[in-house]
Amino acid sequence: VVSPVDKESIIPTTSGFLNVKEKKGSTLYYVESNTKRYIPQVNDFVIGTIVGAFGEFYRVSLANFSTPAILSQYAFPNATKKNRPHLNVGDIVYARVSCSDRELDVEIECIDPTTGKDGGFGVLEGGYLFDVKLGYARYLLFNESSELFNKLVTKAKFEIAIGVNGKIWIKTDDIKSTIACSRSTKEAQSWVKEDISKNVDAIFKTV
């Protein structure tokens, strides 16, 4: 998100379709692409799984067969030695990429840099995590009023976190709704917009 912006200073790092959106006085530029390998970029929203720890840091897997990112125990709002979170292997976190350098480890944090608060980042408890195509995940993240979401909110109450690393986490009040929401979200990758409503209805009836 950039504001104000000098268009000549923006350098794309991947190929695809350029999208520009105005949001709360800022301009959001993002490229829609459907690459198969996730390459971390600063300010990406990602979902990761804790795979280890060393010193005051956690190792977090953002994608299969890739080097884990680093998450400091102090990369949470108001974290101190006394109240820093203690995470276990297998825990899932929603975070923002804060450093991405080819010569260094990728670093992530669970803090909104504009407010210093969690901003929706942090540990994701319960729910169901699944993978989708990278381009699809990015589309859903930047289109809160998509046809899919507009339909799902009429079927169930749910929490959702979307990572541009191709991971989506969904949590509802019951297992059946979680299964139906996750199936609908995953299968909608191959649906045309006109079929979304009836296909979602069909999935909820069969679960």
Side-chain angles (χ1 to χ4, degrees):
V1 180
V2 284
S3 179
V5 62
D6 176 3
K7 294 182 179 179
E8 295 182 355
S9 67
I10 299 178
I11 302 175
T13 58
T14 187
S15 60
F17 295 100
L18 175 64
N19 286 268
V20 182
K21 287 191 174 185
E22 299 294 332
K23 190 174 183 179
K24 297 180 180 179
S26 297
T27 305
L28 172 66
Y29 293 81
Y30 69 95
V31 175
E32 277 192 16
S33 61
N34 198 26
T35 56
K36 294 182 178 180
R37 179 171 175 264
Y38 171 65
I39 301 175
Q41 301 292 333
V42 173
N43 289 325
D44 277 356
F45 291 8
V46 295
I47 297 177
T49 303
I50 304 297
V51 294
F54 66 100
E56 296 180 334
F57 298 87
Y58 295 106
R59 294 191 184 280
V60 185
S61 173
L62 301 182
N64 294 333
F65 313 112
S66 65
T67 303
I70 303 300
L71 173 64
S72 170
Q73 294 181 359
Y74 300 102
F76 295 82
N78 305 313
T80 65
K81 285 190 175 181
K82 291 184 178 180
N83 69 356
R84 57 188 174 180
H86 295 283
L87 307 181
N88 300 310
V89 172
D91 285 349
I92 300 170
V93 295
Y94 192 39
R96 180 186 71 89
V97 176
S98 57
C99 177
S100 179
D101 190 304
R102 293 182 180 180
E103 305 300 325
L104 302 171
D105 288 326
V106 173
E107 296 181 16
I108 61 176
E109 62 182 16
C110 296
I111 302 174
D112 184 334
T114 60
T115 64
K117 299 180 179 180
D118 62 58
F121 300 119
V123 180
L124 299 176
E125 299 180 351
Y128 178 63
L129 179 67
F130 56 97
D131 295 331
V132 296
K133 294 180 180 179
L134 299 182
Y136 180 63
R138 190 176 294 273
Y139 166 77
L140 290 180
L141 179 63
F142 295 119
N143 290 275
E144 299 176 356
S145 298
S146 68
E147 290 81 357
L148 175 65
F149 290 153
N150 285 337
K151 180 62 178 181
L152 287 180
V153 296
T154 68
K155 308 296 290 186
K157 294 181 179 179
F158 62 92
E159 298 176 51
I160 188 169
I162 303 170
V164 296
N165 56 329
K167 296 185 181 296
I168 296 180
W169 173 89
I170 285 181
K171 182 179 181 180
T172 70
D173 294 332
D174 59 85
I175 295 177
K176 287 187 176 181
S177 294
T178 297
I179 294 174
C181 285
S182 59
R183 274 189 57 190
S184 297
T185 303
K186 192 169 186 177
E187 294 182 17
Q189 295 178 94
S190 59
W191 297 343
V192 295
K193 292 182 179 180
E194 292 76 16
D195 291 340
I196 288 177
S197 182
K198 68 177 183 180
N199 288 350
V200 170
D201 285 336
I203 287 176
F204 270 82
K205 288 180 180 180
T206 58
V207 171

